Amino acid sequence: MTEGSIDSRNLPEGEERVWLERARAGSVPRHIGFIMDGNGRWAQRRGLPRTEGHRAGVESLRALIPALIDLGVPYATFYAFSTENWKRPSEEVHFLFDLLVQYAKEDRRELTERGVKLRAIGQVDELPGAVRAAIRELETQTSSGTNLTVNVALNYGGRQEILRAAKDIAKSFAAGQIDLDKLSEAEFAARLYTAGQPDPDLIIRTSGEMRLSNFLLWQGAYSELYFTEVLWPDFRPVHLYKAVVDYAGRRRRFGGVTA
Ligand code: FPP
């Protein structure tokens, strides 16, 4: 980051800055996954419709982008809409899609200026045309960003992603392009939406729920998991820094023994 860049201008003060410095001093994850949970409860506690929780949740996501850049995290994945979320009332589903379209339009410039490359992961082709178009345009406009890659998981399911990769392998096998005996994990992973990206070192889930809910199932095999009671709309950079400090204190063994 250069002196006078957008990110150094926006460095926080007080407690937040102390936690940012503590987080920077330790091991910083290369990829963080976020399960943004608790929007509905946040709204209900305020006597608001659930959808207002989602609107407030977008503000949390917005606040985290510069924080991730300040921290030096190169990849982040946000779980915005799962393959199971279609079961919600259709007004809520449409509200979420409208929010996405609005976000794609309103934040395009800021994301570009901050050097963010945004990508949608999931069955995007099954989404309504307006959502697809807004997302594809945002992907194109931010394609040269080098500070932070943000994956927005949309109509995403980990099992679906693995099944899709397996079908792709089967097709290549049928076409005589693959020797199954030599097929490696890396070649399989190259068929996932996150091809070419590091696996998440850390997955954060808000609102006290302790599940993966079909999120990054392959990629999260060795992720450290961090659960917080904070509801997503209340999740701010200081909470991210605290999670990263906690992560840095863990001993990752990847199935081996501690040195
Ligand atoms: C879970 O909270 C949250 C979601 C299913 C949606 C998350 C989406 C956003 C924060 C907006 C994303 C927008 C953009 C622009 C990426 P919940 O509704 O399940 O909360 P509850 O468990 O309290 O009911």
Side-chain angles (χ1 to χ4, degrees):
M1 208 183 325
T2 52
E3 264 282 289
S5 73
I6 290 170
D7 306 305
S8 57
R9 277 207 309 269
N10 286 352
L11 278 178
E13 290 173 4
E15 192 203 355
E16 195 177 306
R17 177 151 200 150
V18 170
W19 280 100
L20 170 61
E21 279 165 9
R22 282 185 67 185
R24 271 175 164 168
S27 166
V28 173
R30 284 180 309 156
H31 185 170
I32 305 181
F34 294 91
I35 303 179
M36 308 186 281
D37 201 3
N39 295 349
R41 275 164 285 167
W42 182 92
Q44 278 159 353
R45 283 178 199 174
R46 285 165 176 74
L48 298 168
R50 291 175 49 79
T51 46
E52 286 309 305
H54 298 316
R55 196 193 300 283
V58 176
E59 295 310 317
S60 300
L61 179 112
R62 281 195 172 117
L64 284 181
I65 302 282
L68 288 160
I69 296 172
D70 284 341
L71 204 48
V73 175
Y75 295 90
T77 301
F78 292 90
Y79 204 4
F81 192 84
S82 76
T83 46
E84 289 73 37
N85 284 154
W86 292 103
K87 294 178 201 150
R88 294 186 176 219
S90 73
E91 309 84 70
E92 186 174 339
V93 170
H94 284 107
F95 186 91
L96 278 168
F97 291 156
D98 288 347
L99 264 187
L100 266 158
V101 173
Q102 203 183 332
Y103 174 78
K105 290 191 178 137
E106 286 176 4
D107 288 42
R108 192 170 54 208
R109 190 157 160 215
E110 167 142 9
L111 291 169
T112 315
E113 283 178 4
R114 290 192 185 279
V116 174
K117 177 195 270 192
L118 188 135
R119 300 179 59 245
I121 64 169
Q123 292 170 286
V124 176
D125 291 346
E126 291 179 1
L127 295 171
V131 182
R132 270 193 335 253
I135 290 291
R136 292 303 179 215
E137 196 185 336
L138 189 57
E139 285 182 328
T140 307
Q141 301 232 351
T142 62
S143 59
S144 52
T146 53
N147 286 339
L148 169 68
T149 297
V150 169
N151 301 315
V152 180
L154 271 181
N155 197 20
Y156 173 88
R159 288 185 176 178
Q160 178 276 327
E161 180 185 33
I162 293 169
L163 186 59
R164 177 177 169 271
K167 286 181 181 172
D168 196 39
I169 299 270
K171 278 188 199 147
S172 300
F173 174 70
Q177 295 157 349
I178 279 188
D179 178 350
L180 281 189
D181 292 329
K182 292 195 181 138
L183 182 69
S184 66
E185 289 187 7
E187 283 165 301
F188 193 91
R191 286 170 161 87
L192 300 174
Y193 295 123
T194 51
Q197 302 185 6
D199 286 338
D201 295 307
L202 174 64
I203 294 178
I204 297 174
R205 183 170 190 153
T206 55
S207 89
E209 306 292 339
M210 292 193 247
R211 291 184 294 280
L212 278 179
S213 299
N214 210 7
F215 184 58
L216 300 179
L217 293 184
W218 173 285
Q219 301 90 331
Y222 286 101
S223 302
E224 294 295 327
L225 306 180
Y226 181 88
F227 301 106
T228 171
E229 293 290 327
V230 175
L231 303 177
W232 179 254
D234 291 326
F235 194 86
R236 283 296 173 272
V238 69
H239 302 113
L240 167 70
Y241 305 146
K242 286 180 181 178
V244 169
V245 168
D246 185 275
Y247 160 83
R250 302 200 190 170
R251 274 178 295 179
R252 304 187 74 197
R253 294 193 293 274
F254 297 98
V257 289
T258 313

